[in-house]
Amino acid sequence: MRILHTSDWHIGRSFHGHSTLDALRRVLDALVDRVRELGVDVVVVAGDVFDSAMPAADCYRLLTDALEGIRGAGALVVVTSGNHDSAARLGFQAPFLGAAGVHVVTDPLAIGEPVTLDDEHGPVHFYGIPYLEPALVRHLWPGEALRTQEQVMRHAMGLVNDDRAERGGRSVAIAHCFAAGVEPTPQLEREVRQSLTQGSLDVVPLADFAGPDYVALGHIHGRAALADGIRYSGAPLHYSFGEADKPRGAWLVDLDAAGLAAVEWVDLPVPRRLVTLRGTLDELLADAAHGEHRDDWVCAVLTDPLPQVEPMRKLRDRFPHCATIEHRPERGPAEPDARSYRDRVGRGAPDPQVVDDFLAHVRAGERASDDERRLIADVVSERRAEARA
């Protein structure tokens, strides 16, 4: 069986005020072409299909067209919900979609019930694990201590592996979470830092995913191979300048009669490159070397000592797709670090990590204790649940 692993489409997300729908449509059209050219049997989408819980009508049209294209290219589809999705909306009419070959898994109580698809070697069981917010799902399993992502994912994988033991055969798990080994490799540490400034909270140990032949993960926007059979595919588009150096594509996974046979990266097109240019405003406007970036998305980091007059207007005369400007005056080595606390923590850090970093900031490096971390996880989870409600 040949599987294409993708995730984090984030249909409806804007990029510095610009719609990404047309660009994403081009990439998903290319994905459909890859499905047809490579003879893909199943496309897996590991969460964050939409960027918000209430997508606009155009977002549904794009999703419908993409799914119709994949099915027309000859592949079945297995989709799970991510933390950006509304599980109820994404899972609407799931039984009818399943009959059409698009299997949408958003119900936590269905975690141990696989979508079973067959090839010439027999069945392959696909276990979809939707994003699990502890405060929203702990009532489903009242006998379990479910305070953190690690605990809920360990419980979910327990359900998966219990069912696997009864059914036998080959299997694929699909999950949307932060995953890392207990002793991460330098490559993984670098990937996590660059993607989301991830810390030690809300991380699911790699060992918890043991069992299935392949684990298709979503949530981190850069591709990552945590183990041969445990991988992130990343997002199909670049959604921030911090992702500019990360390739866009999907994993092509082959299963033979014994299990995982091969995994290969499949590139997808980048509709418009992203580049960060650094220098004074005059340097960016005059340097001939920057001419090649006229058609790129540009983040201009201005090093002028003082703010300049109408910098965006001037920059867009040369770079029509200049998306954002950051003013970072160059400081001498003896000057103190003038960055704000927010900048030191890092944009995009998970809420529990922000609290943990703040405690370290105000307590001279002393981070939260184990009891405090449990309390932080409870409070953050409950606030997320209130916000969703």
Side-chain angles (χ1 to χ4, degrees):
M1 182 174 290
R2 175 159 279 189
I3 302 164
L4 194 68
H5 165 203
T6 179
S7 72
D8 295 274
W9 291 2
H10 285 282
I11 301 174
R13 174 170 288 196
S14 62
F15 181 77
H16 294 277
H18 301 271
S19 171
T20 62
L21 285 180
D22 289 342
L24 184 57
R25 181 178 292 277
R26 287 177 56 190
V27 175
L28 294 181
D29 285 347
L31 184 144
V32 170
D33 291 339
R34 302 291 188 276
V35 168
R36 183 179 295 107
E37 294 163 1
L38 298 170
V40 172
D41 300 301
V42 182
V43 173
V44 165
V45 187
D48 279 356
V49 177
F50 293 116
D51 189 59
S52 74
M54 299 183 67
D58 287 348
C59 299
Y60 284 101
R61 169 52 56 191
L62 177 55
L63 176 61
T64 300
D65 291 345
L67 296 177
E68 184 178 22
I70 292 170
R71 289 293 293 121
L76 300 170
V77 186
V78 182
V79 181
T80 61
S81 52
N83 58 303
H84 280 252
D85 297 309
S86 163
R89 289 186 176 89
L90 186 62
F92 176 62
Q93 293 190 339
F96 299 100
L97 290 171
V102 178
H103 303 275
V104 183
V105 183
T106 61
D107 182 2
L109 291 177
I111 287 173
E113 302 171 8
V115 173
T116 299
L117 306 174
D118 294 297
D119 65 7
E120 66 271 23
H121 303 297
V124 177
H125 307 297
F126 289 81
Y127 292 92
I129 303 175
Y131 179 77
L132 301 174
E133 184 64 55
L136 296 178
V137 301
R138 64 170 64 122
H139 72 281
L140 301 175
W141 302 289
E144 302 291 332
L146 303 177
R147 295 175 177 270
T148 65
Q149 281 286 300
E150 177 183 354
Q151 290 171 333
V152 294
M153 284 302 304
R154 181 177 297 141
H155 178 68
M157 286 302 301
L159 297 174
V160 168
N161 286 324
D162 287 347
D163 190 79
R164 285 181 55 254
E166 291 185 11
R167 293 179 189 271
R170 298 159 296 163
S171 60
V172 174
I174 309 162
H176 193 88
C177 64
F178 291 109
V182 174
E183 297 180 0
T185 64
Q187 177 183 354
L188 175 58
E189 290 277 19
R190 186 166 55 253
E191 182 74 22
V192 171
R193 284 198 303 271
Q194 291 174 349
S195 296
L196 291 162
T197 318
Q198 174 61 32
S200 59
L201 293 172
D202 277 357
V203 176
V204 181
L206 196 59
D208 288 347
F209 294 103
D213 295 288
Y214 185 78
V215 179
L217 295 175
H219 202 23
I220 289 179
H221 287 189
R223 73 175 182 185
L226 281 63
D228 194 34
I230 306 175
R231 297 173 184 250
Y232 283 101
S233 65
L237 275 184
H238 291 115
Y239 287 116
S240 74
F241 283 97
E243 302 168 14
D245 62 335
K246 303 182 187 304
R248 303 289 88 169
W251 291 113
L252 186 67
V253 181
D254 284 317
L255 301 182
D256 60 15
L260 184 64
V263 184
E264 178 184 353
W265 180 251
V266 175
D267 283 313
L268 290 174
V270 176
R272 192 182 303 283
R273 295 184 306 168
L274 280 69
V275 64
T276 298
L277 303 179
R278 183 183 180 91
T280 65
L281 179 60
D282 287 343
E283 289 170 348
L284 296 188
L285 294 176
D287 192 339
H290 297 325
E292 63 179 294
H293 301 300
R294 178 172 177 79
D295 293 326
D296 297 342
W297 288 118
V298 171
C299 169
V301 179
L302 300 183
T303 59
D304 302 86
L306 297 174
Q308 300 298 295
V309 177
E310 297 186 311
M312 183 61 84
R313 180 186 63 79
K314 296 175 181 177
L315 285 166
R316 283 185 174 168
D317 284 342
R318 187 178 193 195
F319 308 107
H321 304 287
C322 183
T324 184
I325 295 174
E326 298 180 14
H327 185 217
R328 297 184 196 171
E330 292 185 341
R331 299 191 303 270
E335 294 183 60
D337 185 353
R339 292 179 302 164
S340 67
Y341 168 72
R342 179 183 180 184
D343 289 332
R344 290 196 299 274
V345 169
R347 299 177 186 273
D351 291 338
Q353 186 64 35
V354 173
V355 178
D356 192 46
D357 286 341
F358 177 76
L359 291 177
H361 173 66
V362 299
R363 298 198 304 202
E366 180 184 351
R367 293 189 174 273
S369 66
D370 290 341
D371 287 339
E372 287 172 332
R373 291 187 181 203
R374 284 192 288 270
L375 179 60
I376 291 168
D378 274 349
V379 172
V380 169
S381 185
E382 289 169 2
R383 290 295 297 163
R384 287 174 179 165
E386 290 174 7
R388 287 176 179 271

